[in-house]
Amino acid sequence: MDTATSVPVRSGARPLLLAAGRVLRGVMAALFALLGLCLAALCVGRFAALGAGAPLWLDTLSAAELLAGQLLFGAEYAGWDEFARALGLAVLGSFGLGAAGWAWPRRRRVRAGSAPYAFSYQVEDRGSVN
């Protein structure tokens, strides 16, 4: 009689270390995204301050950028070129959002031919027919 058996290749449970790493990557991605969005907002405020007709809320972002820069780099930050500061914020914001995309946890891709079960086909030999 012919029999077909199926044996699970792997269990559905993930090891605890992989699950913790996935959570850690999610937290890192959220922090990088928050940093990148904050830098992008400050960049928009700095670019708006280059012109004369910026709305009040953009001037507020520009003032926040100036204050944060002076806290980080000292009083001489106000003397730096405004366009260079805006460009630097754009590059740093892009880097932060790119790092968030890199850190975002992904699912493993399963190849089209692979299945969660390995099948084996066994034939019992009951002697020759002749």
Side-chain angles (χ1 to χ4, degrees):
M1 173 178 271
D2 298 343
T3 60
T5 60
S6 63
V7 180
V9 175
R10 58 185 155 88
S11 67
R14 287 179 163 250
L16 185 61
L17 187 61
L18 285 178
R22 190 171 170 84
V23 169
L24 182 64
R25 285 182 69 123
V27 169
M28 270 186 11
L31 290 176
F32 278 135
L34 182 65
L35 175 71
L37 288 175
C38 287
L39 288 173
L42 294 177
C43 173
V44 168
R46 176 50 42 202
F47 272 118
L50 292 176
L56 181 62
W57 67 275
L58 283 175
D59 282 338
T60 305
L61 285 176
S62 174
E65 179 267 336
L66 183 62
L67 179 64
Q70 287 179 344
L71 288 175
L72 287 174
F73 300 111
E76 64 272 359
Y77 181 76
W80 293 3
D81 183 37
E82 290 186 2
F83 183 76
R85 290 185 348 215
L87 194 61
L89 284 169
V91 169
L92 289 175
S94 296
F95 180 74
L97 291 173
W102 168 80
W104 187 255
R106 293 167 199 79
R107 292 184 179 190
R108 292 183 183 173
R109 292 190 179 185
V110 179
R111 285 178 270 153
S114 66
Y117 292 97
F119 292 95
S120 63
Y121 189 76
Q122 300 172 356
V123 177
E124 292 180 16
D125 187 21
R126 294 191 180 188
S128 70
V129 177
N130 295 342

